[in-house]
Amino acid sequence: MIVFNLYLKTPFGKMYSTNPDVKRIAELIGRTAGSVALRLANFASCDPILQQRGIKGMTGGSKQCQPYWDEFFADKEKFVFETEQVLAHYQKTSLEKKYKRVLSDISDNLTGKDKERIVKTRVNQNVFRAIILANYDSTCALSGIDIPELLVASHIMPWADNKEERLNPENGICLSSIYDKAFDQGLITFNDDYKTILSSKIKANVGKTFYADFFEPIEGKQLLTPEKYFPSKRFLEYHRDVIFNH
């Protein structure tokens, strides 16, 4: 479960034994870095999204890895949260301590199922961000900004609109803050060729300095090619139909 968690958060081109993250997890679970890297390749061989692109990975361990993919797709929220719990256990900490910053505003009066639900949501949102940033090698798919603090894992189909797809790696694009906000508000969108479309509200600002600086350069611009997961064309169609302000 810990290596599956790592697989989701690791760029496809960095699943090798000398990757510091691979070495760290190997030490944590008492395995060699080589064995962890091999298991990552095994998970890649079972990844249905990669299979659709003709990427096979290392098929030798597919029987051991397939059940984890089945659990993930059966209930992404439940399984991702469980992998984070197992990881925290091996790190000899708790999720509350590990995610103290993102959980700090939860009221002390909140207890029981309500608190568990919020903790699970916040933790999973954090994992989703890690997955999407890894998929774009921590680079904004539009601007090329590669400062993680300025990057957002933008949901194509909003978190509240479809529970089953909240943690789907195909439902996210790594964008810098300004483009994330514009995408979220339906001011920009992308066609099936992953090229940027500007709304009429944005285009109404032609001639202004901010338009020339931030929006004119991205009109028709194609998104950066991701490491593993391309944005789902089905989700992009939903965004154009439901979110985008033409």
Side-chain angles (χ1 to χ4, degrees), residues 67-80:
Y68 295 94
W69 277 110
D70 294 341
E71 278 200 66
F72 175 70
F73 280 103
D75 192 335
K76 299 182 189 72
E77 288 193 89
K78 179 176 180 289
F79 190 62
V80 166

Side-chain angles (χ1 to χ4, degrees), residues 7 15 36-46 56-59:
Y7 175 83
M15 295 182 183
V36 171
L38 178 60
R39 185 60 77 202
L40 290 172
N42 295 152
F43 278 124
S45 72
C46 299
K56 296 182 179 180
M58 297 285 289
T59 58

Side-chain angles (χ1 to χ4, degrees), residues 43-240:
F43 278 124
S45 72
C46 299
D47 190 331
I49 300 172
L50 294 186
Q51 288 176 349
Q52 291 171 13
R53 291 171 51 193
I55 300 173
K56 296 182 179 180
M58 297 285 289
T59 58
S62 59
K63 289 184 178 180
Q64 292 92 337
C65 294
Q66 188 61 52
Y68 295 94
W69 277 110
D70 294 341
E71 278 200 66
F72 175 70
F73 280 103
D75 192 335
K76 299 182 189 72
E77 288 193 89
K78 179 176 180 289
F79 190 62
V80 166
F81 187 68
E82 287 177 351
T83 67
E84 282 293 308
Q85 288 179 311
V86 173
L87 179 58
H89 173 75
Y90 271 78
Q91 293 171 329
K92 301 187 186 307
T93 187
S94 66
L95 288 179
E96 286 76 10
K97 291 180 180 178
K98 185 175 178 179
Y99 290 99
K100 182 179 180 180
R101 184 179 61 83
V102 298
L103 301 175
S104 61
D105 63 336
I106 298 177
S107 171
D108 293 335
N109 296 325
L110 198 65
T111 59
K113 294 294 183 181
D114 290 335
K115 183 176 181 179
E116 289 177 13
R117 176 178 53 80
I118 292 179
V119 169
K120 181 179 179 181
T121 296
R122 298 278 183 88
V123 169
N124 282 347
Q125 287 174 334
N126 200 81
V127 174
F128 182 77
R129 182 178 187 275
I131 293 170
I132 299 305
L133 263 64
N135 195 35
Y136 288 88
D137 202 17
S138 294
T139 303
C140 172
L142 274 179
S143 67
I145 290 174
D146 59 359
I147 302 172
E149 291 83 359
L150 299 178
L151 302 178
V152 180
S154 300
H155 275 86
I156 304 170
M157 185 178 291
W159 181 273
D161 289 8
N162 192 320
K163 180 179 178 180
E164 292 182 0
E165 306 296 353
R166 287 175 177 175
L167 297 177
N168 188 335
E170 294 183 296
N171 192 29
I173 304 171
C174 182
L175 296 172
S176 57
S177 298
I178 186 171
Y179 296 129
D180 165 69
K181 191 68 173 181
F183 185 62
D184 182 64
Q185 295 299 312
L187 299 176
I188 65 173
T189 193
F190 306 101
N191 64 22
D192 284 348
D193 293 321
Y194 308 114
K195 292 182 178 180
T196 311
I197 303 171
L198 304 182
S199 70
S200 57
K201 188 171 183 179
I202 287 292
K203 287 186 174 183
N205 294 282
V206 170
K208 295 181 179 179
T209 301
F210 78 82
Y211 180 88
D213 288 344
F214 298 107
F215 293 101
E216 187 175 2
I218 68 167
E219 184 173 15
K221 185 175 182 179
Q222 192 167 40
L223 289 170
L224 180 74
T225 301
E227 290 273 343
K228 287 190 285 191
Y229 307 115
F230 284 81
S232 164
K233 293 182 179 181
R234 177 169 63 90
F235 299 154
L236 289 175
E237 181 181 15
Y238 178 91
H239 189 273
R240 293 194 299 270

